[in-house]
Amino acid sequence: MQWETVIGLEIHTQLATQSKIFSGSSTAFGNPPNTQASLIDLGMPGVLPVLNREAVRMAVRFGKAIGAHVAERSVFARKNYFYPDLPKGYQISQYELPVVGRGQVEIVLDDGVTKTVGVTRAHLEEDAGKSLHEDFHGMTGIDLNRAGTPLLEIVSEPDMRSAKEAVAYAKKIHQVVTYIGICDGNMQEGSFRMDANVSVRPKGQAEFGTRAELKNINSFRFLEKAINFEVERQIELIEDGGTVVQETRLYDSDKDETRSMRTKEEANDYRYFPDPDLLPLEIDAAFIADVVAAMPELPDARRARFQEQYGLSTYDADVLTASRALADYYEAAAAEGGDAKLVANWVMGELAAALNRDGVDIGDSPVAAAALGQLVGRIRDNTISGKIAKDVFAAMWAGEGDADAVIEAKGLKQITDTGAIEALVDAVLAANAEQVENYRNADPDKRPKMLGFFVGQIMKKSQGKANPQQVNELLRKRLDT
Amino acid sequence: MSLSPEEVAKIAHLARLAVTDDDKVALGRDLSNILDLVAQMDAVDTAGVAPMAHPLEMAQRLRDDRVTEGDRRDRYQAHSPAVERGLFLVPKVIE
């Protein structure tokens, strides 16, 4: 039997506001437990939630970025369930009337084919606190710093047909929310969390199979592995005569498997109803126009502009616009360095390798964009060769100063003085009389290759500092005449 | 419309309320009366009437995104039965 996989994703993105969605507590990550939990976050009686304007603006920004309809009127609802990290006994969310309606994004698959994935909706809600199960002599510790952090839950259509497509979609949403600055995208800190609804059906069948929900996946790699495991599990189960039950499963990355969470009897009986503490959210045309006017350039548009403006290949433009931070870095470096293509090579080559090697984020690069641009400028004005520039870059990376300071301190300035290069050429030719003789007697076809020997010797003698073009020219003049 | 004691028990469980068997009968009657009222309202033709999310004819006011709350953990935890290293302690919950 041929099976088809069907996947839909629910992605929770923490919005990058300063304060919480309904209270004036800080949303900063990593502070001592419960130091950012106010009376509202603690669910004390008699308090009222007041909606954060910036959270609404961010939701609208996302809606407009994916071509979705933004609801003129949306309603907050209570989702009722009991868990100690949810002090009120309900989560304030949106149910029947979400703020963002149907939109779509385009993903590019491995074979270069573009596929459109529908976004069903996106709604505003509050995050819960954190439960710590270890080490409290049989008790559970509760930290409510995260409780009330604004979330935008982005729900996709069941449009993905493989784990790879699901990953491509998740990466696309990650790219969009970080580009438009509504989420820091930090997956380790839980700013971007994914749930995957996975089912299988015989190829050609119209109805969907029964789905399992894989909860709280916080890396793209785990998303792919969790889905692949779950698909295999479901197919085997059905082929062995079993049936898939609708349930929530957790992915265990240590064992690379999904496990059923203990099914609570009334798991999905959330008894939603409109929250009487909050009035309907009305968003007028002026509010939307204001958000649209402040919309940063979106990744697809920026990629197209990079090709157009800087003459970059599709591949280069794709790599350089992968994240907004990288694209910003590139543009700043290109403005300083002058030669956009050469700067692109440096960013994707030496810089990317160093970032990768040391596990550093582009935003924390010890070589700033302007500094890299300056270095490229020194290659362009012949102060140094491209080869020496790599040594200069390494020194800059190690914190030894900017390009000019390193070139000066290490005496790496390129030798462009004709007289000095002639002296080097003559010295090398004199020391290699035999090779000179061979060269002159050689077939003209073979000469270019033999010339390399002399160039190498001269470059070595100059410690790499002689200008290679001049060396070649002068060498030919001496040998070929 | 009449709610059975089992249905009352389920609703009570969802709300984490401990209800005695005697109360279940009385509560079943009260809840059934409420549902009857809802059924009565259901019979009204509301085509063309927008659903009401709130009795006040107003829109939600928004606040500026500013941190206005400081750390008052000690005061807020003063009445908690168990606290350790800044965390509220609760009976163990395992998923």
Side-chain angles (χ1 to χ4, degrees), chain A residues 167-241:
Chain A
V167 170
Y169 165 78
K171 283 186 173 169
K172 186 73 199 186
I173 293 294
H174 188 269
Q175 187 188 39
V176 170
V177 297
T178 50
Y179 252 84
I180 63 176
I182 67 167
C183 174
D184 67 18
N186 189 325
M187 298 175 88
Q188 260 101 48
E189 294 180 1
S191 301
F192 190 93
R193 316 193 291 266
M194 300 166 285
D195 300 342
N197 290 312
V198 180
S199 65
V200 298
R201 63 179 170 191
K203 221 172 178 116
Q205 179 183 306
E207 320 71 89
F208 294 131
T210 305
R211 67 172 194 263
E213 186 177 7
L214 311 180
K215 277 272 190 201
N216 257 333
I217 303 166
N218 64 355
S219 91
F220 297 126
R221 196 162 62 87
F222 290 163
L223 177 65
E224 183 167 352
K225 292 177 107 173
I227 291 172
N228 282 332
F229 175 88
E230 182 58 20
V231 167
E232 283 304 307
R233 186 190 72 86
Q234 292 185 11
I235 291 173
E236 266 175 44
L237 185 65
I238 298 168
E239 290 185 340
D240 289 349

Side-chain angles (χ1 to χ4, degrees), chain B residues 31-86:
Chain B
L31 288 170
S32 297
N33 284 339
I34 294 171
L35 290 177
D36 287 343
L37 176 66
V38 173
Q40 231 178 315
M41 292 194 289
D42 245 359
V44 179
D45 179 10
T46 55
V49 179
M52 183 177 74
H54 202 282
L56 294 180
E57 292 278 331
M58 292 166 69
Q60 178 62 38
R61 288 197 33 196
L62 304 176
R63 53 166 247 278
D64 290 341
D65 181 27
R66 276 208 327 270
V67 175
T68 53
E69 297 282 340
D71 171 19
R72 306 180 82 182
R73 184 175 75 184
D74 289 347
R75 294 182 65 178
Y76 295 161
Q77 290 190 332
H79 68 298
S80 301
V83 165
E84 190 174 313
R85 280 179 273 158

Side-chain angles (χ1 to χ4, degrees), chain A residues 17-24 33-35 37-39 42 44 50-54 73 75 82-83 132-133 135-143 266 269 271 274 276 278-280 282, chain B residues 10-11 13-16 50-54 56-73 76-77 79 82 84-95:
Chain A
T17 54
Q18 297 300 307
S19 65
K20 293 187 177 174
I21 184 166
F22 298 120
S23 84
N34 295 308
T35 55
S38 69
L39 294 172
L42 293 172
M44 291 294 171
V50 187
L51 185 56
N52 184 334
R53 178 181 292 107
E54 193 57 26
R73 183 171 175 276
V75 171
F82 288 97
Y83 206 77
L132 294 107
H133 298 290
D135 204 21
F136 295 100
H137 24 259
M139 308 275 280
T140 292
I142 304 292
D143 175 10
E266 295 85 17
D269 201 343
R271 294 151 296 143
L278 288 153
L279 291 153
E282 285 180 7
Chain B
K10 188 190 167 198
I11 294 164
H13 173 68
L14 283 171
R16 298 297 186 275
M52 183 177 74
H54 202 282
L56 294 180
E57 292 278 331
M58 292 166 69
Q60 178 62 38
R61 288 197 33 196
L62 304 176
R63 53 166 247 278
D64 290 341
D65 181 27
R66 276 208 327 270
V67 175
T68 53
E69 297 282 340
D71 171 19
R72 306 180 82 182
R73 184 175 75 184
Y76 295 161
Q77 290 190 332
H79 68 298
E84 190 174 313
R85 280 179 273 158
L87 295 157
F88 294 97
L89 293 192
V90 299
K92 185 129 190 153
V93 276
I94 305 171
E95 290 181 336

